[in-house]
Amino acid sequence: MNNFPKLHNATWPGLVGKGPDSEPVIPFDTLLEMTAAAEVGGVKFDGIDVGLLEPHFDLNNPDDPKRLADKVSKYNLKVGSLVAPIWAGNAMGTAEQRATFVDMVRKSCEFGQKLKELGVRDYGVVRIDSAAGVHDWAKDPVGNTKLIAETFREAADLAAGFGEKLAAEGEICWGAMHSWKHMVELLEMVDRKNVGFQADMSHTFLYTMGYNAPEHRILPGDADLKDRDAVKAALKTVTDALRPWTIDFHVAQNDGSVFGSGSHDKTGRHCQATDPNGVLDIAHDAGYWLRDENGQLTKAFQHLCWDGCMFPNQVMNNQQTWNDILAAMVKVREAHGWKG
């Protein structure tokens, strides 16, 4: 049985789209317990990817890394990728906003370094985005992209001192990252060895449909999303362009629609793994990211993570949800994994 890539669950879905203007935040401990309890045919999750976001964590609390390490160790789990709370700043904002963005990356890298020292983190990246809306970006596309690239480079140079890689997650709600072509352009402009792309199967599928960037759509507006040949051709175009940059990967399902909750802008809808309206063949389509153009495994990252942002709390508090998710991820590893 393949033991790589390792299989992780995410904790930020307990936070993203939640809060005062939506459903209550799901406690970190609850997410951890349900992750640890999931099991399919004797296989369990290997770890978690963590959003370093309040109220789960406080980057100004020096005791939080030890607290996290103790919690995951109790369940024999590891920590993988970390989400930096860069939305306190803005990569194309004022000098102060951009400095705040970089400072959030620094604090996240410091947190990750402590987790490594505590023996609970062996792999993973620090996740970022531009923290800027598409509408604001569009007021000056050229100038704003240059500012974002400059901020990313500054953050990357800082992260390199911690041995960290930064992964920009392509979502249609972030300026300069809202289409597959803009995403490639930004990565090329940043031009840092420790900056890459975090692919999410749900968000990147929206790239093919041209949401927020109709000039870059691949599937026509009247496309039949049940036409697997058309979907596969579109996915191949996007993955061929972004796979060389991909250093972190989220397994997910999508029904071809957008969704946002709370204060989060609309982005690719995360569907449950068993959703009958899901457009993706999860195990097959993950292969576009996990294998090169010749069908060979890239082994570009040591773990996969499931992302299910903005699921209703009723769904997230159901243990069967996490068993179904784990089952889908096991199928991905059976199809595209390896023995380490």
Side-chain angles (χ1 to χ4, degrees), residues 149-329:
E150 185 178 327
T151 305
F152 278 19
R153 282 194 294 271
E154 185 176 348
D157 293 344
L158 182 152
F162 294 92
E164 292 285 355
K165 293 182 179 181
L166 304 182
E169 183 179 21
E171 294 191 48
I172 59 168
C173 58
W174 304 124
M177 303 171 61
H178 58 288
S179 89
W180 60 283
K181 288 191 175 183
H182 288 313
M183 190 71 250
V184 171
E185 290 168 358
L186 178 60
L187 290 167
E188 289 177 342
M189 191 177 295
V190 173
D191 191 26
R192 288 292 187 272
K193 291 182 179 180
N194 67 325
V195 175
F197 183 65
Q198 183 185 71
D200 177 291
M201 291 177 67
S202 175
H203 300 320
T204 53
F205 183 73
L206 270 290
Y207 279 169
T208 71
M209 302 181 72
Y211 276 99
N212 286 342
E215 69 276 18
H216 295 162
R217 75 178 307 145
I218 301 168
L219 291 168
D222 60 352
D224 178 4
L225 299 185
K226 294 182 180 180
D227 181 347
R228 281 292 296 167
D229 287 340
V231 168
K232 287 192 290 186
L235 289 173
K236 186 176 187 307
T237 298
V238 169
T239 54
D240 282 351
L242 284 165
R243 188 191 309 110
W245 297 95
T246 303
I247 58 175
D248 205 53
F249 183 58
H250 290 169
V251 181
Q253 181 57 286
N254 180 274
D255 65 1
S257 69
V258 296
F259 180 74
S261 64
S263 60
H264 198 289
D265 288 343
K266 290 182 178 180
T267 186
R269 180 188 294 271
H270 283 115
C271 297
Q272 294 186 57
T274 56
D275 192 321
N277 295 316
V279 173
L280 303 173
D281 179 335
I282 295 175
H284 176 276
D285 296 347
Y288 289 114
W289 295 103
L290 300 173
R291 296 179 180 274
D292 65 20
E293 63 277 7
N294 298 314
Q296 299 300 307
L297 292 173
T298 66
K299 300 184 181 180
F301 27 84
Q302 292 181 281
H303 82 293
L304 313 174
C305 181
W306 175 272
D307 195 343
C309 283
M310 292 179 274
F311 281 179
N313 283 4
Q314 182 179 3
V315 170
M316 294 188 66
N317 285 316
N318 181 357
Q319 186 62 54
Q320 188 59 45
T321 297
W322 306 109
N323 290 350
D324 291 342
I325 285 168
L326 179 58
M329 295 186 74

Side-chain angles (χ1 to χ4, degrees), residues 6-38:
K6 300 298 184 181
L7 307 181
H8 282 216
N9 197 10
T11 65
W12 57 82
L15 298 166
V16 176
K18 311 296 181 183
D21 48 358
S22 182
E23 293 186 303
V25 164
I26 298 177
F28 178 84
D29 287 353
T30 299
L31 296 164
L32 187 58
E33 290 165 7
M34 299 188 82
T35 298

Side-chain angles (χ1 to χ4, degrees), residues 106-182:
R106 176 186 63 80
K107 290 181 177 181
S108 300
C109 290
E110 289 175 346
F111 196 106
Q113 183 67 35
K114 291 176 182 176
L115 294 178
K116 292 176 182 177
E117 294 170 358
L118 290 164
V120 296
R121 183 167 178 255
D122 304 324
Y123 45 73
V125 302
V126 173
R127 180 255 187 224
I128 61 172
D129 58 58
S130 63
V134 177
H135 178 74
D136 290 336
W137 170 87
K139 295 174 183 177
D140 181 10
V142 174
N144 285 329
T145 299
K146 287 181 178 178
L147 269 180
I148 293 168
E150 185 178 327
T151 305
F152 278 19
R153 282 194 294 271
E154 185 176 348
D157 293 344
L158 182 152
F162 294 92
E164 292 285 355
K165 293 182 179 181
L166 304 182
E169 183 179 21
E171 294 191 48
I172 59 168
C173 58
W174 304 124
M177 303 171 61
H178 58 288
S179 89
W180 60 283
K181 288 191 175 183
H182 288 313

